[in-house]
Amino acid sequence: MAAFDDSAFDDHERVIFCRDAATGLKAIIAIHSTALGPAAGGCRLWEYASDDAALHDVLRLSQGMSYKNAMAGLEFGGGKAVILKTADFRASDALFERFGDCVDELNGRYITAEDVGMTVNIMQTIARRTRYVSGLPKKAGMAGGDPSPITAFGVFTGIEAAVRFRLSRESVSGLTVAVQGVGNVGYNLCRYLADAGAKLVVADMDPSRVATVCREFGAVSVGLDEILFQKVDVVSPCALGAIINEQSIPRLQTTIVAGAANNQLETRADGQRLMDSGILYAPDYVINGGGIVNVACEYHGQGNDETVMQLVAAIGPRLTRIFEQAQATGRPTNLIADEQARKIIAAAKHG
Ligand code: NAD
C-alpha cells in the first residue's frame, strides 16, 4: 500500500491501521488535520474491492471532513475511519469494542460517529470503550440524535440561496426540483421543499421510499437513469457521489445543482465544466454541513435543536458569499470553497 503516494494523501497528520485477529477487526483511521481541533468524522463500514481502495476512500473522506468542519465554523479538524467488511467479517460487540479501544488510544485526536453502514446501537457499543464518540441517542432537551433532518434543513436553505442568486427568485415556490435519493436526508428535504411550494420529481432504488414522497408531498416519480436529466430548476443529488462528471454534465437540463450527497463531483475539473454550462453548483461539503453541526453540539453538550437550527441557517449566506466570489473572479464555486477551507485551516495552523 503506497499511502504517501495516494492522490488523496494531502499531508495527512496520521494514518492508523488497526488489526485485531481475535475479533477479525480490520480498520483504518485517517486524521487529516487537527489544526482547528480534534479530528471529527464518522466511521464507515463497507466492503471494499481492496485494502488500497479502503485507504483511498478514508483519506479522501478525511480531507473532506477537514474542509467541511472548517467551512461550518466548527472547532474541529478532519478525520474519518473505515472498518473493512472483508470476506470473513462478522459483526460482533467485541469487534466494535476493539474499534472503540483503537479510537480511545488516540486520546481525543479523533472523534468518531456514524457513517454509512453504522447505527446508533453500534455507536453505543463503541462508547463502552471510549468517550471520543458522538451520534449517540438524543438526551431530552439537548442537541443530538439523527442528524439527517438537520442536514436536510441546511440543504434547503442552500437551495434557497442558490435560487436567489441564479434565478433571482425569493423562494422555491412554483419551481421544480429533482431529488435523486429520498432516504433519510432526501425525504426530509422533500418535506421542506413541498411546504415551500416547490414541485418535486424523485427517484430512488427503494420503491417504498418513492411511494411515500409521492403520497405525502405529491412528488412525481421518474426512472433511476432519468432523474438527473430532467428539465427542472434544481437537481438535488441526495444519494451517491461522483454522479456529476464529464458524461453526465452535457445531459443536465438544470440551472442549479445543490444536494446532500458527499463528493458529488467525480473530479475537481467537473466544477469548471458545470460553470461553463451555466449551471450553479453549491459545493457539497458546504451545503451538507448541517449534520456535523448537530454532531458537534451533541459532542460538546451545547444547546438544543433550536440552537442547532440557528447555526445551520448560516449555510445559505455562506453559500451566497461563495457564489459571489465565484462570479467576481470567474472561477468555479468548488475551487473557491476549497480555497476558503484551506485558508481557514492554514490560519489555525500558523495562528
Ligand atoms: P440514506 O441511505 O438514508 O438515503 C440514500 C437513498 O438513496 C436511499 O433511499 C437509497 O435507496 C437511494 N439510492 C441509492 N442509490 C441510488 C440511485 N442510484 N438512484 C437513486 N437513489 C439511490 O442516506 P442519507 O443519510 O439520506 O444520505 C444521503 C447522502 O447525503 C449520502 O451521500 C450521505 O453521505 C450524504 N450526507 C448525509 C448526511 C446525514 O446527515 N445523513 C450528512 C451529510 C451528507
Side-chain angles (χ1 to χ4, degrees):
M1 246 194 263
F4 292 116
D5 298 331
D6 191 294
S7 60
F9 183 69
D10 187 37
D11 280 339
H12 264 72
E13 288 179 13
R14 298 263 196 291
V15 182
I16 300 105
F17 294 85
C18 315
R19 170 74 180 140
D20 180 56
T23 59
L25 172 72
K26 239 184 169 186
I28 311 174
I29 300 175
I31 298 178
H32 178 251
S33 167
T34 55
L36 287 165
C43 175
R44 180 169 288 195
L45 175 60
W46 196 251
E47 193 179 330
Y48 288 99
S50 65
D51 292 355
D52 279 337
L55 175 67
H56 181 68
D57 198 38
V58 75
L59 291 173
R60 206 176 45 99
L61 291 164
S62 155
Q63 182 206 44
M65 285 311 300
S66 281
Y67 288 8
K68 185 183 295 201
N69 292 335
M71 292 303 275
L74 300 173
E75 290 183 346
F76 274 149
K80 202 91 184 183
V82 291
I83 296 179
L84 284 72
K85 247 180 155 177
T86 49
D88 56 352
F89 174 84
R90 294 278 171 279
S92 69
D93 281 7
L95 181 144
F96 293 121
E97 282 176 1
R98 277 302 294 140
F99 177 72
D101 292 335
C102 298
V103 171
D104 202 61
E105 282 160 18
L106 296 169
N107 286 317
R109 279 185 88 88
Y110 168 66
I111 300 164
T112 198
E114 288 98 338
D115 192 70
V116 178
M118 299 294 264
T119 63
V120 173
N121 280 347
I122 298 177
M123 288 301 134
Q124 286 178 293
T125 307
I126 293 170
R128 290 181 199 153
R129 297 302 184 99
T130 184
R131 61 194 168 94
Y132 304 116
V133 54
S134 198
L136 297 168
K138 190 171 162 64
K139 294 190 191 116
M142 302 288 286
D146 176 12
S148 308
I150 309 272
T151 301
F153 173 65
V155 173
F156 175 68
T157 66
I159 290 177
E160 279 187 315
V163 158
R164 226 171 278 132
F165 189 84
R166 180 68 178 75
L167 301 174
S168 306
R169 298 275 293 249
E170 266 319 298
S171 108
V172 295
S173 178
L175 299 183
T176 307
V177 183
V179 184
Q180 182 188 43
V182 287
N184 293 325
V185 178
Y187 167 82
N188 284 288
L189 175 64
C190 285
R191 183 166 45 83
Y192 280 113
L193 289 167
D195 285 352
K199 289 176 247 168
L200 299 170
V201 184
V202 299
D204 197 295
M205 285 166 74
D206 180 342
S208 69
R209 290 187 152 171
V210 172
T212 303
V213 290
C214 290
R215 188 179 64 243
E216 292 187 16
F217 312 124
V220 173
S221 142
V222 297
L224 294 174
D225 297 339
E226 301 162 36
I227 186 71
L228 291 177
F229 312 116
Q230 296 297 301
K231 195 165 174 22
V232 291
D233 301 292
V234 182
V235 163
S236 187
C238 294
L240 311 166
I243 32 71
I244 305 294
N245 53 44
E246 209 172 348
Q247 289 72 41
S248 62
I249 292 170
R251 300 182 59 204
L252 294 175
Q253 298 193 72
T254 182
T255 45
I256 293 165
V257 172
N262 281 312
N263 299 319
Q264 288 167 42
L265 305 183
E266 191 168 306
T267 69
R268 285 204 159 87
D270 294 317
Q272 180 74 47
R273 290 192 182 98
L274 284 173
M275 192 181 89
D276 293 345
S277 309
I279 298 169
L280 181 67
Y281 170 63
D284 45 15
Y285 60 81
V286 181
I287 194 169
N288 73 14
I292 193 70
V293 171
N294 194 53
V295 164
C297 290
E298 174 192 331
Y299 185 75
H300 294 304
Q302 280 168 351
N304 52 24
D305 288 348
E306 209 174 301
T307 331
V308 174
M309 293 293 259
Q310 277 167 10
L311 291 170
V312 173
I315 287 175
R318 191 172 295 137
L319 280 169
T320 303
R321 286 193 292 277
I322 292 170
F323 299 154
E324 285 168 351
Q325 202 179 331
Q327 191 174 51
T329 58
R331 299 175 55 239
T333 53
N334 62 312
L335 296 190
I336 301 287
D338 285 0
E339 233 166 60
Q340 287 186 5
R342 279 198 289 264
K343 217 180 260 178
I344 295 168
I345 295 164
K349 226 183 238 174
H350 305 119

